[in-house]
Amino acid sequence: MTATVVTGLGVLAPNGSGLDEYWAATLRGESAIHRIERFDPERYPAKLGGEFTGFDVRERLPGRLIPQTDRMTQFALVASDDALADAKIDLADWSSSDMGVITASSSGGFEFGQHELEKLYAKGPGHVSAYMSFAWFYAVNSGQLSIRHGMRGPTGVFVAEQAGGLDAVAQARRKIRRGLGLVLTGGMDASLCPYGMAAHMAGGRISERDDPGTAYLPFAEDANGHVPGEGGAILTVENADRARERGARVYGEIAGYGATFDPPASSGRPANLRRAAAIALADAGLSPSDIAVVFADAAGSPELDRIEADAITALFGPHGVPVTAPKAAIGRLHSGAAPLDLVCALQAVREGLAPPTANVAAADPAYRIDLVVGEPRRLDGTAALVLARGYGGFNAAMVVRGVSGKET
């Protein structure tokens, strides 16, 4: 069956714009969590976020697009430009029907929606922008990317919070396997606005600590919830044979994928993250011993951390594989988190280095996992497993595999 490979990366993260800047900061364990600056968070019990600062949309997008789009869509458009440029794609060489767009979204255009609601209640319905009809919508990133790049092949959106980022990439892989040449995929979210923060607080999983160094500590004994962030990654994925024919640089292969749902908490039945990971390994044709590192979902709350640690130890054994959570430095980016973890995983197996879990001194010994902390860890192996969960019981797992030196 045709392999699906990653040939281009577009990264917008709180600790770096572009692959090189992001990867260098991630290896350093450089934290970008701080008091939210986009609005005054004083009235909220949680005041920290992982913001993507220094973004001037006017430098990257045409002026006509700015009043039509939420911040998350602006991120996605810029990242898609970068992902195509990184892959050295000349769109004139491609049929529009041979290219698709499949992204994930968790929040939709929260900030755009908030501003229009303010106009509605302050001034009346005649002042609400016509662009509200689509700018808030979960699928808007896929639509805007499709229009911008003239991609008229399959499009779609996955809404499964953090798990959706992997689900979208998996769907892109399915389309490539069925004959499509190229897909832009991944996820972006940007909901650090008053309306979005109220929604995050309603979920009940946000840390209310004010110290950026201790607010988000996945797998630590004193874990207390997570910090929300914004950003994500857009990937260019292609048919491997066609990528080789055009001499593309290949970051790695999307080798395996699995997805499951958790039963209701009241059922007493176990969570299904382990099963999603096992399905992904089987799909990749690999065994646990082939995995060099696991990029954890890293919820940062004791109950969810325990469930994930149990899933990892059930597959790999106690302390059986290095586990890392670079998102501890930037917060959970919702639909953007898992695609960004894929970027990290591809870089980790290319360079043989696992980035550390920032701010965490050590994992709770009760979890029996080998958490990478303090500094990067040398890796032995060419495959990595990425785990992601979404609010409501979504589980997803994806295996990426490095490629030979000629292709990198």
Side-chain angles (χ1 to χ4, degrees):
M1 187 174 291
T2 301
T4 300
V5 294
V6 179
T7 57
L9 303 173
V11 173
L12 272 72
N15 61 351
S17 174
L19 175 62
D20 292 344
E21 190 175 306
Y22 165 69
W23 180 241
T26 300
L27 286 179
R28 292 193 297 269
E30 192 172 298
S31 179
I33 291 173
H34 55 72
R35 183 182 171 91
I36 292 171
E37 297 175 356
R38 286 184 54 75
F39 68 97
D40 182 359
E42 190 56 35
R43 291 188 297 168
Y44 294 78
K47 301 173 179 60
L48 301 180
E51 290 180 307
F52 180 57
T53 58
F55 178 66
D56 187 349
V57 63
R58 293 166 297 185
E59 294 180 354
R60 296 297 307 270
L61 296 178
R64 64 178 173 75
L65 278 176
I66 296 172
Q68 301 180 24
T69 50
D70 182 80
R71 182 173 168 87
M72 67 150 191
T73 303
Q74 295 165 3
F75 284 177
L77 288 165
V78 168
S80 71
D81 288 351
D82 293 346
L84 290 173
D86 189 40
K88 295 183 170 50
I89 296 293
D90 184 346
L91 294 171
D93 294 337
W94 292 74
S95 163
S96 61
S97 61
D98 199 25
M99 300 181 288
V101 183
I102 299 167
T103 65
S105 177
S106 176
S107 305
F110 251 128
E111 190 170 42
F112 194 101
Q114 175 193 312
H115 290 161
E116 298 312 312
L117 286 171
E118 289 169 352
K119 293 178 191 174
L120 173 65
Y121 289 108
K123 299 179 180 178
H127 293 267
V128 175
S129 168
Y131 299 127
M132 179 63 184
S133 60
F134 58 81
W136 71 271
F137 191 44
Y138 300 108
V140 69
N141 287 356
S142 288
Q144 288 285 8
L145 267 57
S146 173
I147 294 167
R148 181 168 177 79
H149 303 298
M151 297 178 168
R152 298 177 181 174
T155 60
V157 63
F158 282 76
V159 183
E161 211 244 327
Q162 190 152 288
L166 295 186
D167 297 334
V169 176
Q171 179 68 358
R173 178 182 179 232
R174 290 188 197 100
K175 295 299 182 184
I176 294 289
R177 284 179 161 185
R178 293 171 186 169
L180 198 65
L182 177 156
V183 183
L184 281 176
T185 187
M188 284 283 175
D189 266 311
S191 55
L192 293 179
C193 61
Y195 186 24
M197 200 65 180
H200 290 311
M201 296 304 305
R205 295 178 177 176
I206 302 293
S207 171
E208 297 182 5
R209 290 177 181 160
D210 289 333
D211 176 11
T214 62
Y216 180 29
L217 301 172
F219 301 110
E221 288 183 272
D222 55 346
N224 185 48
H226 70 266
V227 173
E230 61 178 4
I234 298 295
L235 286 62
T236 304
V237 300
E238 296 183 62
N239 175 302
D241 294 337
R242 293 171 63 173
R244 290 190 188 93
E245 286 172 9
R246 70 177 188 87
R249 178 263 322 278
V250 172
Y251 286 101
E253 177 190 355
I254 305 300
Y257 164 75
T260 59
F261 294 95
D262 287 335
S266 58
S267 71
R269 290 178 285 154
N272 282 321
L273 181 62
R274 185 207 64 78
R275 193 157 64 87
I279 293 169
L281 285 170
D283 186 34
L286 299 177
S287 66
S289 63
D290 296 314
I291 297 298
V293 60
V294 174
F295 284 77
D297 172 72
S301 64
E303 181 182 358
L304 292 171
D305 284 351
R306 178 188 56 75
I307 290 170
E308 184 166 29
D310 287 349
I312 292 169
T313 56
L315 267 180
F316 297 94
H319 309 286
V321 64
V323 178
T324 189
K327 60 173 67 74
I330 57 177
R332 286 171 66 86
L333 309 190
H334 314 290
S335 73
L340 199 58
D341 276 346
L342 289 178
V343 171
C344 254
L346 290 165
Q347 282 296 97
V349 296
R350 277 164 58 88
E351 297 193 2
L353 279 176
T357 305
N359 298 321
V360 178
D364 185 337
Y367 294 147
R368 301 186 299 164
I369 61 170
D370 178 13
L371 190 67
V372 180
V373 297
E375 59 185 19
R377 173 94 59 88
R378 281 286 167 198
L379 296 177
D380 182 17
T382 59
L385 174 68
V386 176
L387 302 176
R389 291 174 290 183
Y391 194 93
F394 300 96
N395 300 301
M398 184 162 280
V399 174
V400 296
R401 182 161 43 203
V403 293
S404 68
K406 276 186 178 180
E407 293 169 306
T408 59

